[in-house]
Amino acid sequence: MHIELRQLTAEQQGEFVHPILTAFGAMANPERLEGTKRLAELSSRIGAYDGESIVGAAGSFSLTMTTPGGGAVPVAGLTMVAVMPTHRRRGILTSLIRRHLDDARAEGRPISSLWATEGTIYGRFGYGLASRACSISIERDRAAFRGEAGAQGRARLLGEEEALEAFAPVWERARPLAPGMLARSKAWWQVRRLKDDDFVRQGGGPLQRVVIEVDGRPEAYAMYCMHHRWDTSQIPVGSVRVIEAIGASPLGTRLIWRYLFDIDLAQRIEASLLPPDHPLGLLVAEPRRLRLTASDGLWVRIVDVEAALAARAYGSSEPLTLEITDSDRPSNAGRFRLHGGERRATRTAQAPDLRLDITALGSAYLGGVSFQALADAGQVEALSEDAIERADRLFRAARAPWCPEIF
């Protein structure tokens, strides 16, 4: 069997998504297919072919991601990876991911990132779990705050075009504040965030788009939908499903969640893809009522060690020497002297302070996983005194990594 990898065009989007739709047992959505063709960010569509039949595929978004300290790094966002069930266990997935990583390096994208459907797949390719995604489900009548927001904002429901104009500036103000957030083009907003999308809503009502203004300036926004249900006594037992809620300031965050918690005809408010340090944990009077649960979020694969380490800020200026192993990409292996104050890493022959593989470095990169936690899990070896403590001071981030959408 000879498998050929081919670069597909936007006009071949229907063929490209065939493996992922088959894997999920889903039907093609013509409107979504047409919209995705407009996304310049979907810069690579690789199909794996057995003769003239597509048997696997992998795409790549060209993204820009916030790093600790408010900087940014070009990222290759691995997406829509699937192999047809007729061609499993034949090395097709391995070929697709290695092609993706080669392309990322050639394009000057020092990081690849993804949301994993099955986490066991990607660890063997050097991806490390870098963030947690949390979900909440709180009864509306138990959603009191410890203290109210302290200022009155004005809430307005918007149409799609109005929402684009109001939401994008709020996002741009919020984006530098948390590692893991992504830059969004106008097309990205239009195609992926603001559409009244049945797949996102999963059977709910129309997508609602609300902005909170303070002194006439947009300070926060949310997208949500209503899932109405009534019990046998005609008491509403439905829910508000929050798709995305973003505040450009702490005040904006408090005001938008107060709005969401006060929506009538809902028994519960539900949201997902929140960071573990979201302010709601301290805002609500009964935190356990949030029923907070966590799952894996972003996975990060370092493609170019020196470029990736230069693209983030550090919490101290202490030097640290890392000995990194990378069985899949030998160009990443070796010893690197990290100078936190200068935001650079250079190859060195000095004795290492820490020994780790590329997977562990990916986990630590955004500041969401500590070196102490990695050491406790046997994924980092300390070779000098206080090496773990120094590494954690260097890589700390003021906020947990947060990516409010799956790409």
Side-chain angles (χ1 to χ4, degrees):
M1 179 190 69
H2 173 67
I3 299 297
E4 180 186 0
L5 300 186
R6 303 178 190 169
Q7 179 74 54
L8 306 181
T9 67
E11 294 306 312
Q12 295 172 286
Q13 181 71 14
E15 188 171 357
F16 167 66
V17 300
H18 180 60
I20 193 71
L21 292 177
T22 302
F24 280 96
M27 298 288 291
N29 181 318
E31 182 181 0
R32 191 176 302 118
L33 285 175
E34 287 302 313
T36 304
K37 290 179 184 180
R38 295 164 44 203
L39 283 179
E41 288 90 344
L42 187 54
S43 56
S44 177
R45 301 169 175 86
I46 303 298
Y49 285 82
D50 183 357
E52 292 307 308
S53 298
I54 189 166
V55 296
S60 182
F61 288 119
S62 296
L63 304 172
T64 300
M65 180 180 289
T66 301
T67 57
V73 64
V75 170
L78 184 59
T79 187
M80 292 179 271
V81 184
V83 175
M84 298 290 284
T86 56
H87 284 68
R88 297 170 66 248
R89 305 293 186 265
R90 304 187 191 184
I92 296 172
L93 179 68
T94 297
S95 297
L96 287 166
I97 293 179
R98 286 179 174 164
R99 169 71 175 268
H100 165 80
L101 295 175
D102 287 343
D103 290 348
R105 179 72 183 239
E107 294 166 6
R109 299 189 175 275
I111 286 176
S112 171
S113 187
L114 59 84
W115 289 83
T117 304
E118 291 186 83
T120 54
I121 295 174
Y122 296 98
R124 71 177 193 261
F125 296 108
Y127 289 86
L129 177 58
S131 77
R132 294 286 183 183
C134 295
S135 298
I136 62 167
S137 178
I138 187 171
E139 303 99 325
R140 180 173 174 267
D141 61 358
R142 307 311 290 259
F145 279 8
R146 293 182 184 274
E148 291 307 316
Q152 294 299 313
R154 177 195 180 203
R156 290 196 300 126
L157 289 168
L158 306 178
E160 185 178 332
E161 291 303 316
E162 290 180 293
L164 176 61
E165 183 178 348
F167 289 6
V170 174
W171 175 264
E172 286 305 310
R173 289 168 59 199
R175 184 166 65 89
L177 303 179
M181 284 194 160
L182 305 173
R184 291 174 175 173
S185 67
K186 181 178 180 180
W188 188 278
W189 276 103
Q190 291 172 324
V191 172
R192 290 185 56 93
R193 303 313 290 161
L194 294 173
K195 285 294 182 187
D196 195 2
D197 194 316
D198 287 333
F199 180 75
V200 173
R201 294 190 290 109
Q202 297 180 351
L207 185 68
Q208 304 292 335
R209 311 168 187 90
V210 63
V211 65
I212 301 290
E213 296 170 335
V214 176
D215 297 329
R217 183 189 191 190
E219 199 67 25
Y221 71 82
M223 294 173 280
Y224 64 94
C225 57
M226 304 294 297
H227 288 245
H228 284 303
R229 290 190 301 116
W230 281 262
D231 67 12
T232 55
S233 299
Q234 296 303 302
I235 295 172
V237 293
S239 62
V240 174
R241 303 276 179 89
V242 181
I243 308 303
E244 183 170 288
I246 301 292
S249 65
L251 173 60
T253 298
R254 295 195 297 272
L255 289 173
I256 195 63
W257 282 99
R258 187 68 272 157
Y259 169 90
L260 293 166
F261 284 175
D262 287 343
I263 294 174
D264 291 330
L265 299 180
Q267 185 184 64
R268 309 192 71 85
I269 298 91
E270 300 174 340
S272 59
L273 304 184
L274 302 178
D277 62 350
H278 195 282
L280 281 174
L282 296 174
L283 278 173
V284 296
E286 299 179 90
R288 73 180 66 176
R289 292 285 182 171
L290 288 168
R291 290 178 173 82
L292 187 75
T293 59
S295 63
D296 53 309
L298 286 173
W299 291 69
V300 166
R301 209 291 182 198
I302 306 297
V303 179
D304 183 333
V305 170
E306 290 162 287
L309 292 177
R312 56 154 294 167
Y314 295 90
S316 81
S317 58
E318 301 168 274
L320 188 77
T321 300
L322 307 173
E323 183 173 276
I324 298 170
T325 59
D326 189 341
S327 59
D328 210 45
R329 303 192 69 79
S331 60
N332 276 330
R335 296 178 182 177
F336 298 85
R337 186 71 167 172
L338 175 59
H339 305 268
E342 301 174 16
R343 295 178 58 163
R344 65 184 178 91
T346 55
R347 289 189 176 272
T348 183
Q350 292 184 3
D353 298 302
L354 291 179
R355 182 177 293 128
L356 67 162
D357 68 11
I358 201 69
T359 303
L361 185 61
S363 291
Y365 182 76
L366 293 176
V369 179
S370 71
F371 280 86
Q372 185 62 64
L374 291 166
D376 291 345
Q379 296 182 30
V380 170
E381 181 184 1
L383 302 173
S384 65
E385 187 177 359
D386 298 329
I388 297 295
E389 292 81 358
R390 281 184 282 145
D392 277 334
R393 287 193 292 270
L394 276 161
F395 280 78
R396 69 187 175 195
R399 294 184 177 179
W402 185 20
C403 186
E405 64 175 312
I406 295 174
F407 52 80

